[in-house]
Amino acid sequence: MANLQTKRGCHYKCTFCAYPVIEGRGMRTRDPCGAAAEVETLLEEYGLDQFFIVDSVFNAPRGYAEAVCAALRRLGRRIRWSCFVTPGNLSAELLDLMMTAGCQSIDFGTDAGSNRTLRAFRKSFNVDDIHAASALCRERGLPFCHSLVFGGEDETWETVAETIATMDACRPTAVTAMCGVRVYPETPFAQALIGRGEVPGVEALYEPYFYFSPAVRDGLTETVAAAARARGNWFLPGSKVNDEDRLFANLRGRGLKGDLWRYLARLRLGRALGPAGA
Ligand code: SF4
């Protein structure tokens, strides 16, 4: 799978995220035809037909994703791609354009399924948006994954339970969950923690530093692991729960490629695993 970037930067203000720090706080877009030409070169000269669009958020700024899809459309039967999407700005029309242009699955940067935790992260959407975006994918049979971060500010056992319940109601193909918020230097979250004296200084963040809301510090990892184990389609990177490393190695061994979690629905139903993109 090759990576493709159609823009840099992110104008959203999620407190913990390093994208705006690394790439800038505004979005700078490429000429969509230039991006499509790059894809065509990779396809024709190197045989690469699977892509991950690594943009911070594919479906922003408004109107640009539509232009990228229009540019990729003529290649849409020959390539397959995936991307990061915000649940707050996804219309049926855009999703249809994405699928026509070769989109085979999407990864929602959801982070939480509780309005209280979403507000604390300063996400730009709410739980209703998560349900609506999930329903659009389900209606089209498009595999989708929600990525979560448990343990952020204002997280309580109640919000943890709400997030798990939201995921159950949305019925995603897969869930990727992390416990503890990695605090990166220069993010609003890092500045707040340093300002409050909870972190002694920025140097403390150069080693991996994870924040856990005090209300759930004890037992969060075990609780999320139990939820993952009970569901089977949740992955906790770095843990052996549901052992995605083994599963994905097995799928790769069969010659499958791209974002392999999308095969989970077929595996659960006991269906044959077709070629990539099928
Ligand atoms: S989490 Fe996603 S939407 Fe939020 S600032 Fe980071 S890249 Fe942007």
Side-chain angles (χ1 to χ4, degrees):
M1 180 161 58
N3 293 325
L4 175 73
Q5 189 159 24
T6 74
K7 71 173 80 71
R8 289 206 176 121
C10 186
H11 60 214
Y12 291 105
K13 296 184 167 55
C14 311
T15 55
F16 59 86
C17 182
Y19 254 101
V21 176
I22 295 168
E23 293 196 350
R25 297 180 200 282
M27 290 180 172
R28 287 104 62 215
T29 56
R30 291 175 67 182
D31 171 8
C33 293
E38 183 182 329
V39 168
E40 191 165 19
T41 300
L42 291 167
L43 176 67
E44 301 290 353
E45 294 190 17
Y46 301 97
L48 291 163
D49 59 0
Q50 297 263 340
F51 297 86
F52 194 92
I53 298 181
V54 299
D55 299 8
S56 53
V57 179
F58 181 75
N59 51 332
R62 205 171 281 277
Y64 178 70
E66 287 81 350
V68 172
C69 290
L72 291 177
R73 188 180 171 143
R74 71 189 168 80
L75 301 168
R77 287 181 184 278
R78 300 166 65 202
I79 60 167
R80 290 289 177 268
W81 51 272
S82 307
C83 57
F84 297 125
V85 167
T86 173
N89 189 22
L90 183 65
S91 66
E93 293 73 21
L94 175 57
L95 198 52
D96 290 338
L97 287 175
M98 290 166 66
M99 292 176 72
T100 307
C103 179
Q104 67 182 351
S105 58
I106 59 180
D107 190 334
F108 287 111
T110 308
D111 296 330
S114 154
N115 282 330
R116 178 175 171 171
T117 320
L118 289 169
R119 273 196 299 275
F121 281 146
R122 283 194 229 149
K123 301 298 288 186
S124 57
F125 53 84
N126 60 29
V127 171
D128 289 344
D129 295 319
I130 298 171
H131 285 296
S134 300
L136 288 176
C137 294
R138 282 200 314 273
E139 286 158 15
R140 287 158 179 76
L142 180 69
F144 65 105
C145 174
H146 284 292
S147 292
L148 304 175
V149 184
F150 285 95
E153 283 191 293
D154 281 357
E155 188 89 282
T156 62
W157 291 119
E158 192 182 3
T159 61
V160 169
E162 280 174 24
T163 291
I164 294 171
T166 299
M167 290 300 108
D168 286 348
C170 289
R171 307 200 304 277
T173 314
V175 169
T176 304
M178 305 291 291
C179 288
V181 181
R182 174 79 192 270
V183 183
Y184 289 102
E186 295 184 42
T187 58
F189 193 34
Q191 287 162 350
L193 291 176
I194 292 170
R196 298 201 303 252
E198 294 182 41
V199 171
V202 72
E203 294 78 12
L205 305 177
Y206 294 152
E207 294 296 321
Y209 181 99
F210 291 86
Y211 174 90
F212 286 80
S213 165
V216 296
R217 188 171 291 146
D218 294 330
L220 180 66
T221 306
E222 293 79 4
T223 299
V224 174
R229 220 171 273 120
R231 284 157 182 82
N233 64 334
W234 283 43
F235 297 118
L236 313 182
S239 86
K240 284 288 174 195
V241 177
N242 299 332
D243 204 352
E244 74 263 28
D245 289 344
R246 192 155 157 242
L247 172 67
F248 292 166
N250 181 307
L251 293 172
R252 263 187 226 104
R254 300 183 195 203
L256 301 174
K257 51 189 178 176
D259 44 352
L260 296 171
W261 56 260
R262 74 184 192 279
Y263 289 105
L264 281 177
R266 283 169 173 244
L267 285 170
R268 273 205 305 274
L269 294 169
R271 286 201 195 141
L273 295 169

